[in-house]
Amino acid sequence: MRMIHFDAVSKLYANTTAWALHPTTFTIEAGELMVLLGESGSGKTTLLKMVNRLVQPSSGAVRVFERDVREQDPISLRRGMGYVIQNVGLFPHFNVADNVAVVPRLLKWPESQVRERVDELLERVGLSAAEYRARAPHQLSGGQRQRVGIARALAARPKILLLDEPFGALDALTRANLQLELRRLHEALGLTTLLVTHDLAEALTLADRIAVLRSGELRQLGTPAQLLHAPADAYVAELIQSVVAQAARVSELARRASS
Ligand code: ADP
Ligand code: MG
């Protein structure tokens, strides 16, 4: 099933002269983890925000759950999808539990059910509920805040998860752990996930398929193996070459260190 379909969507922002996104068409299938990869300004966030109607395409249409998003109520559309951004935007005066509970409470779930769901989600994202539910956001590390952000996004059991550079501000180890956990959650919950990153290594390790954007143009859409073995153009080839060369240098160092 086509979960998200971009049908020739483009974007020219008001009072600008360059297209942020040229007409772009592709589909994200149900259960797929799609990564939007590109450097800063390539149009990744623009494309992502078309899914939850934070950005209105200048032409073309976005279909979610097989329906044009313009025919869907924006509030219920957004409640059907989790949304995680780089610095989370946790409410600073709410504790962890109240942050995770925001949407279930808006949906007027019974309070006992809300509490149960909060504890279940905190454990799911690797935080002991007993230890963390009453903490304030400022009492958490960056990685823990991102975990709470993911728990909050999943609270109302969305089918779709949107993440915009969710691990961008984290140190390498925390980032690697959260990448693995995100992949596990994606599988376990049967999500359809769209993740934005500028980090090719992150894209290669996480994605089922990668959409490579440059200057608002979709340059290649393929599996990590396809990008590695058959880059569509010189730009993608150079991008791939840069991580391959870096990985080779690291293995060479490791080889020398152990010999
Ligand atoms: P990315 O997420 O890949 O960094 P964006 O989608 O945020 O890229 O931006 C793509 C292009 O659109 C950039 O040139 C950016 O400056 C421009 N842009 C983004 N948002 C706006 C806006 N609200 N108004 C005008 N231009 C914008
Ligand atoms: Mg962006």
Side-chain angles (χ1 to χ4, degrees):
M1 180 206 167
R2 294 169 158 199
M3 198 61 136
I4 301 171
H5 181 66
F6 298 105
D7 183 4
V9 286
S10 69
K11 184 67 185 177
L12 181 64
Y13 285 101
N15 307 315
T16 66
T17 52
W19 289 83
L21 190 70
H22 296 279
T24 298
T25 300
F26 66 98
T27 299
I28 303 163
E29 302 292 338
E32 192 169 29
L33 195 162
M34 175 76 78
V35 169
L36 295 179
L37 174 72
E39 47 201 66
S40 176
S42 57
K44 307 181 296 295
T45 296
T46 297
L47 197 48
L48 185 88
K49 285 182 169 174
M50 287 178 179
V51 179
N52 59 10
R53 290 189 63 178
L54 291 175
V55 167
Q56 176 79 38
S58 303
S59 66
V62 179
R63 273 189 284 284
V64 174
F65 308 120
E66 307 272 11
R67 279 177 58 213
D68 191 322
V69 293
R70 284 170 297 194
E71 293 162 10
Q72 303 186 44
D73 169 50
I75 305 296
S76 52
L77 179 76
R78 285 175 202 145
R79 282 182 192 155
M81 40 184 86
Y83 183 39
V84 181
I85 55 176
Q86 183 163 326
N87 289 310
V88 193
L90 294 181
F91 299 107
H93 304 298
F94 281 13
N95 68 23
V96 164
D98 291 337
N99 266 287
V100 176
V102 167
V103 176
R105 284 191 179 129
L106 283 172
L107 296 174
K108 306 209 184 314
W109 290 16
E111 198 50 32
S112 61
Q113 216 174 306
V114 172
R115 251 193 308 264
E116 206 175 294
R117 181 72 180 146
V118 166
D119 287 357
E120 176 196 333
L121 278 163
L122 289 177
E123 302 286 344
R124 269 228 182 254
V125 298
L127 294 173
S128 144
E131 189 168 345
Y132 290 99
R133 65 191 329 284
R135 292 239 193 138
H138 73 87
Q139 297 171 314
L140 302 174
S141 70
Q144 290 165 341
R145 276 200 289 273
Q146 278 319 89
R147 288 173 195 273
V148 175
I150 293 171
R152 183 176 63 177
L154 295 173
R157 299 193 173 82
K159 296 265 189 300
I160 294 175
L161 186 57
L162 306 175
L163 307 105
D164 196 342
E165 312 243 11
F167 311 132
L170 305 177
D171 60 85
L173 197 57
T174 305
R175 191 180 175 119
N177 279 329
L178 272 170
Q179 286 166 354
L180 282 178
E181 287 182 30
L182 175 69
R183 184 70 224 192
R184 268 188 232 120
L185 277 172
H186 167 85
E187 306 285 344
L189 302 178
L191 296 168
T192 301
T193 301
L194 183 55
L195 178 140
V196 161
T197 186
H198 61 265
D199 180 344
L200 175 61
E202 176 163 291
L204 290 172
T205 50
L206 266 176
D208 293 316
R209 288 193 300 159
I210 300 171
V212 184
L213 287 172
R214 184 167 208 221
S215 309
E217 273 183 306
L218 180 62
R219 290 296 190 89
Q220 184 164 13
L221 179 65
T223 62
Q226 286 167 339
L227 264 67
L228 283 164
H229 299 301
D233 62 18
Y235 172 69
V236 180
E238 198 181 325
L239 200 65
I240 294 288
Q241 195 42 44
S242 68
V243 280
V244 169
Q246 193 181 31
R249 282 197 298 278
V250 173
S251 347
E252 174 60 15
L253 279 171
R255 195 187 59 75
R256 277 196 238 152
S258 67
S259 65

